[in-house]
Amino acid sequence: MRVYFFADRDISWLSFNERVLEEAGKDSVPLSERIKFLSIYSSNLDEFYRVRMPALLALKKIDKEKTGPTVYREAVEIINRQQEAFGTIFNKAVLPGLTRYCFKLIYNDSIPEKLKAETNYYFFTQVAGFLQPILIKANTDFFLENNQLYQAVVIRYASSEEQLFLVNIPTNNVPRFFKIKQDDGDYIVFLEDIIRQNLHHLFPSATIVGAYNIKITRDAELDLRDEYGDQAKKIAKQLRKRDFGFATRFLYEPGMPLRHLQEMIQIFSLQKASVVEGGKHHNLKDLAELPVSNAALAYEPWPAVQSVKASEMPETLFKAVEEEDRIIHAPYQSYDTIIRFFNEAAIDSSVERIYTTMYRVASDSRIGYALISAAKNGKKVSVLVELKARFDEANNIRWAQKMKAAGVKIIYSSNLLKVHAKIALVKRKNQRAPYLGLLATGNLNESTARFYTDHILLTAYQPMLAEMEGLFDFLRKRKGRAVQQIHFQHLLVAQFNLQTRFLEMIDREMENARAGLPASITIKMNNLEEKVLITKLYDASNAGVKINLIVRSICRLVPGVQGQSEHITVKRIVDRYLEHGRIFIFHNNGKDDVYMGSADWMSRNIYRRIEVCFPIYNEQIRKQMLSLLALQWNDTVQAVRIDEKLNNISLRNDEAGQIRSQEAIYKLLSQQNI
């Protein structure tokens, strides 16, 4: 039996975040977009500390008697190196770049004298009313909130010892940045620096010994083990506890006296957290809100194109879908077609029932409003709202309650089994094609559709849609994790046949390779982590199958290893849009089978979720998907190759004919109507 190697998932994810950071470091990327990549990197790292670091800290405790580096130590070393690179990019590229465009961000410096009149006025009129200084002492019941900024202020009154206060930085109430126009340009000041400048107003008779910005990051896990009762209420209750999870990181400003640092660690029970000396300013994910409006600093606009010209569209979208399958490639093509699908369902008199899943609902969801209208218009509307979509739970609960109040039947998944599928079904009476369906690789969310690349199929293929109705019926009736047997011939559904069918299609490629026939697999996904499927890909490589993988984030498969994966190449694409679509192509001796869907190959997707992948039967759409994926595979500008050590290896060279796949796809779809 072969012994295969697997990469660590967390180290692999850090490699992805490093690729995001690399994009921020490119001179070829417009300045505002470089700032956004820095913001994305920072936001990603915060989530890593909230979601993954608790597990690494637990492993650190288990492995403390072992010699050699633990994954925790390796992760910390990588993060420290990345943070140094972040600082270099920000100080040596971003700040000088802003200055060239007359934007002067006051960073790691005191506020210039000429700005103090305006910043003082701003402090008293906009900021002071939100400030609540707290004296820190041994028996304090004050709690440091997750990812909130504070200023640790050391003061001394005459003839007394130093005292430590915490001052909240009210970024939930006041913008993080304050812009002041001057003759020589726009000056931008951090909110915490304005507060620091005015601390003497908070402590009028004291000497300000020092002020140091701090931040705590806390575990984001929810305890959802209980399977019974009102799930919305239970999750809402758990959400209130989330920001009170144990601390995983304590970030502090350089120069903070060690005695006060230790005092805070003791008082707030931060002994198990990673104690990290950061920069002067934390929460740099807020850089996305930096008020630097200048078209020259941003990407060239790519207005979404219509998938079909209005003049060539039948009277209704439903009629168009009856005639032929349609596909929308977001964000290159307008999401209006998807909104129209739900809008037509809401008012069409032939529509009897509407079913849909909603995993991450837009905050002002037009799809949600259409479903409410449909219910009020007498249709039977069933919506499976996933309450456990991390960091979107509160918004999903709000929409579930709003739709339920309007008469929509709301279905919640069990606490043990998420529903991650992206599907919708319309059932009509007295129609040649009673079913119309929507199957997607990404969320039914018009907000994220503006910057996530996804593919949405609209179809009237009745046998496949009858299977979808069976799945919705199962989800409506199911209790717990028990899975009744449903036969799916067309759909691939996790918990039923998804893993088995993927393994069978890999086996078929292996058989073809052994028979001397062409054999290849091309897959694009967000994460590749599940060991059974990775092992099968290793087996296929050893059988001679050529395997091309585009994996955006976590990849536990180690490519290019002799006797394991020498026929496997892994690439990663990071560009202006977030690559999100999942596409699976099996050569099948020249009769390419093309599937798309919601499922990454992770243990959670395969074993703990309902996922749906679907075949592309329409020949024109199938050829288009092959063309789009070929463009991505041949990207030499934004794609990197992942080597056996998880390094991002550039594919760019100085030769003519460089391909930037997102730009090429946009140009291609701008010229086509499918």
Side-chain angles (χ1 to χ4, degrees):
M1 181 177 177
R2 292 179 182 270
V3 177
Y4 289 137
F5 300 102
F6 300 86
D8 181 81
R9 63 167 287 168
D10 295 302
I11 303 304
S12 175
W13 183 90
L14 289 171
S15 171
F16 157 66
N17 211 29
E18 186 161 305
R19 176 66 190 88
V20 173
L21 191 58
E22 288 172 359
E23 203 64 14
K26 288 184 178 179
D27 291 336
S28 58
V29 176
L31 187 61
S32 285
E33 310 301 339
R34 297 175 76 174
I35 293 170
K36 288 178 184 176
F37 279 114
L38 290 176
S39 169
I40 292 167
Y41 169 85
S42 183
S43 178
N44 286 348
L45 188 59
D46 275 351
E47 184 170 339
F48 182 81
Y49 270 96
R50 295 200 71 189
V51 176
R52 292 303 306 166
M53 195 55 85
L56 294 186
L57 286 167
L59 286 174
K60 175 189 175 186
K61 182 178 180 180
I62 293 171
D63 295 341
K64 66 181 180 181
E65 301 300 327
K66 297 182 180 179
T67 60
T70 63
V71 174
Y72 170 81
R73 292 195 195 104
E74 186 178 357
V76 169
E77 289 173 3
I78 291 171
I79 291 168
N80 289 342
R81 186 183 71 244
Q82 291 176 356
Q83 293 286 58
E84 289 180 9
F86 185 108
T88 300
I89 293 167
F90 195 74
N91 286 295
K92 294 188 176 181
V94 170
L95 291 177
L98 288 171
T99 300
R100 283 194 295 273
Y101 283 90
C102 297
F103 294 108
K104 302 183 180 183
L105 177 63
I106 309 303
Y107 183 75
N108 279 343
D109 205 353
S110 56
I111 298 174
E113 194 65 34
K114 66 179 181 179
L115 304 181
K116 287 185 177 179
E118 289 206 49
T119 56
N120 287 349
Y121 181 82
Y122 185 75
F123 173 81
F124 282 112
T125 59
Q126 305 297 325
V127 180
F130 295 107
L131 302 182
Q132 302 157 11
I134 298 290
L135 175 63
I136 301 306
K137 48 190 177 182
N139 61 349
T140 184
D141 59 357
F142 183 75
F143 188 85
L144 291 165
E145 295 183 32
N146 173 68
N147 276 348
Q148 295 299 309
L149 296 177
Y150 297 92
Q151 221 159 68
V153 182
V154 181
I155 70 169
R156 183 188 297 116
Y157 292 99
S159 303
S160 71
E161 295 182 351
E162 291 180 351
Q163 292 182 312
L164 180 63
F165 281 78
L166 281 183
V167 178
N168 58 307
I169 309 298
T171 52
N172 291 334
N173 310 103
V174 183
R176 180 77 185 278
F177 303 101
F178 177 48
K179 185 165 71 173
I180 305 168
K181 289 188 175 294
Q182 296 283 296
D183 291 340
D184 58 342
D186 292 354
Y187 287 78
I188 303 170
V189 184
F190 281 86
L191 174 62
E192 55 266 40
D193 288 343
I194 296 175
I195 294 171
R196 188 193 303 259
Q197 175 190 288
N198 287 277
L199 287 173
H200 61 284
H201 295 299
L202 294 177
F203 307 100
S205 57
T207 299
I208 309 297
V209 178
Y212 312 93
N213 295 320
I214 67 166
K215 183 181 88 166
I216 301 293
T217 304
R218 295 187 179 278
D219 181 11
E221 194 62 33
L222 300 180
D223 182 4
L224 301 175
R225 290 171 293 180
D226 189 356
E227 186 68 17
Y228 304 100
D230 189 321
Q231 290 187 60
K233 287 184 178 179
K234 288 186 176 182
I235 291 177
K237 182 179 179 180
Q238 287 293 320
L239 287 176
R240 291 191 290 271
K241 296 180 180 180
R242 168 180 275 165
D243 285 342
F244 295 87
F246 77 86
T248 58
R249 179 176 57 167
F250 174 27
L251 198 59
Y252 66 95
E253 181 179 337
M256 187 174 185
L258 182 60
R259 63 185 181 280
H260 294 305
L261 182 66
Q262 291 298 333
E263 182 181 1
M264 293 192 67
I265 291 172
Q266 292 297 322
I267 289 173
F268 293 110
S269 302
L270 303 175
Q271 292 87 348
K272 295 181 181 180
S274 296
V275 179
V276 181
E277 181 182 80
K280 180 178 180 180
H281 301 96
H282 312 314
N283 265 8
L284 291 182
K285 62 185 178 183
D286 292 343
L287 287 172
E289 303 167 11
L290 200 66
V292 288
S293 179
N294 187 324
L297 304 182
Y299 285 128
E300 172 194 358
W302 289 353
V305 297
Q306 294 295 330
S307 58
V308 180
K309 294 178 181 178
S311 59
E312 298 175 2
M313 184 77 172
E315 184 178 359
T316 67
L317 176 62
F318 281 6
K319 184 172 178 60
V321 175
E322 276 190 71
E323 293 174 357
E324 187 176 28
D325 286 359
R326 306 274 172 168
I327 193 164
I328 304 300
H329 308 287
Y332 307 104
Q333 294 176 317
S334 173
Y335 207 70
D336 287 351
T337 303
I338 309 308
I339 302 297
R340 181 171 178 172
F341 179 86
F342 289 95
N343 287 350
E344 287 192 16
I347 64 172
D348 189 322
S349 60
S350 70
V351 172
E352 293 182 304
R353 296 197 66 108
I354 303 170
Y355 305 86
T356 191
T357 60
M358 300 188 85
Y359 189 77
R360 297 190 189 277
V361 189
S363 59
D364 192 35
S365 174
R366 291 170 61 192
I367 294 173
Y369 286 121
L371 295 169
I372 287 171
S373 294
K376 291 189 173 182
N377 291 341
K379 286 81 167 73
K380 293 181 179 179
V381 183
S382 299
V383 179
L384 194 147
V385 180
E386 180 50 75
L387 297 184
K388 302 179 294 300
R390 184 180 284 133
F391 304 130
D392 279 288
E393 300 97 338
N395 183 60
N396 286 6
I397 289 172
R398 180 175 66 86
W399 267 103
Q401 292 170 341
K402 179 182 287 190
M403 289 188 288
K404 184 176 182 179
V408 174
K409 180 174 178 54
I410 299 298
I411 306 164
Y412 300 133
S413 69
S414 82
N415 291 338
L416 299 176
L417 195 65
K418 278 188 179 181
V419 176
H420 191 249
K422 327 294 187 182
I423 53 176
L425 180 68
V426 170
K427 189 174 183 180
R428 305 180 298 171
K429 60 185 177 183
N430 304 322
Q431 298 292 318
R432 177 175 59 86
Y435 297 118
L436 296 176
L438 179 156
L439 303 99
T441 64
N443 296 308
L444 302 180
N445 182 319
E446 60 269 31
S447 296
T448 56
R450 292 183 287 108
F451 50 91
Y452 281 29
T453 70
D454 274 305
H455 312 279
I456 307 101
L457 177 71
L458 302 175
T459 183
Y461 185 59
Q462 299 300 291
M464 185 163 68
L465 298 181
E467 291 181 3
M468 194 192 298
E469 185 179 34
L471 177 59
F472 274 114
D473 189 55
F474 160 76
L475 293 173
R476 182 171 57 85
K477 296 177 180 178
R478 178 181 52 84
K479 298 293 184 184
R481 187 177 275 181
V483 174
Q484 67 193 64
Q485 289 305 308
I486 304 176
H487 177 68
F488 292 103
Q489 181 179 349
H490 303 281
L491 297 177
L492 309 185
V493 183
Q495 311 305 312
F496 293 92
N497 67 336
L498 183 142
Q499 185 185 53
T500 301
R501 287 288 293 121
F502 277 135
L503 292 171
E504 289 172 353
M505 286 187 278
I506 298 172
D507 278 331
R508 185 181 60 195
E509 296 302 318
M510 293 169 63
E511 292 169 7
N512 287 342
R514 293 182 181 122
L517 299 173
S520 66
I521 299 169
T522 301
I523 299 175
K524 177 187 173 187
M525 65 180 78
N526 299 331
N527 299 294
L528 175 57
E529 175 263 351
E530 198 277 323
K531 283 190 173 182
V532 172
L533 288 162
I534 293 175
T535 297
K536 183 61 74 171
L537 290 176
Y538 285 154
D539 290 341
S541 174
N542 287 326
V545 179
K546 182 176 176 57
I547 302 171
N548 294 334
L549 304 174
I550 301 175
V551 184
R552 187 194 77 216
S553 186
I554 297 168
C555 182
R556 295 203 63 198
L557 182 147
V558 182
V561 176
Q562 188 70 26
Q564 171 172 298
S565 55
E566 61 261 46
H567 295 118
I568 304 178
T569 304
V570 182
K571 296 182 180 180
R572 167 181 286 145
I573 297 174
V574 173
D575 202 351
R576 68 190 290 171
Y577 298 140
L578 181 79
E579 294 292 343
H580 194 253
R582 291 92 167 180
I583 307 168
F584 310 87
I585 299 173
F586 300 89
H587 185 63
N588 191 20
N589 195 24
K591 304 173 186 176
D592 295 290
D593 285 333
V594 179
Y595 285 81
M596 301 192 299
S598 63
D600 287 319
W601 284 4
M602 296 189 73
S603 296
R604 67 188 187 193
N605 302 93
I606 303 302
Y607 303 117
R608 300 191 295 277
R609 291 183 176 184
I610 295 291
E611 305 275 4
V612 172
C613 290
F614 49 93
I616 301 298
Y617 291 140
N618 180 283
E619 185 64 18
Q620 190 177 10
I621 295 176
R622 193 176 68 88
K623 288 180 178 178
Q624 188 188 54
M625 292 308 306
L626 292 172
S627 297
L628 296 185
L629 202 54
L631 281 174
Q632 296 223 281
W633 183 253
N634 292 315
D635 191 316
T636 55
V637 177
Q638 299 302 131
V640 296
R641 179 177 60 82
I642 302 174
D643 71 6
E644 68 278 5
K645 295 182 180 179
L646 304 183
N647 296 311
N648 297 301
I649 307 301
S650 174
L651 300 172
R652 193 162 192 157
N653 55 54
D654 296 329
E655 299 176 7
Q658 296 286 319
I659 297 175
R660 180 185 176 192
S661 60
Q662 290 191 358
E663 181 179 32
I665 290 170
Y666 179 72
K667 289 179 178 178
L668 178 67
L669 295 176
S670 296
Q671 299 165 1
Q672 292 183 353
N673 288 321
I674 298 299

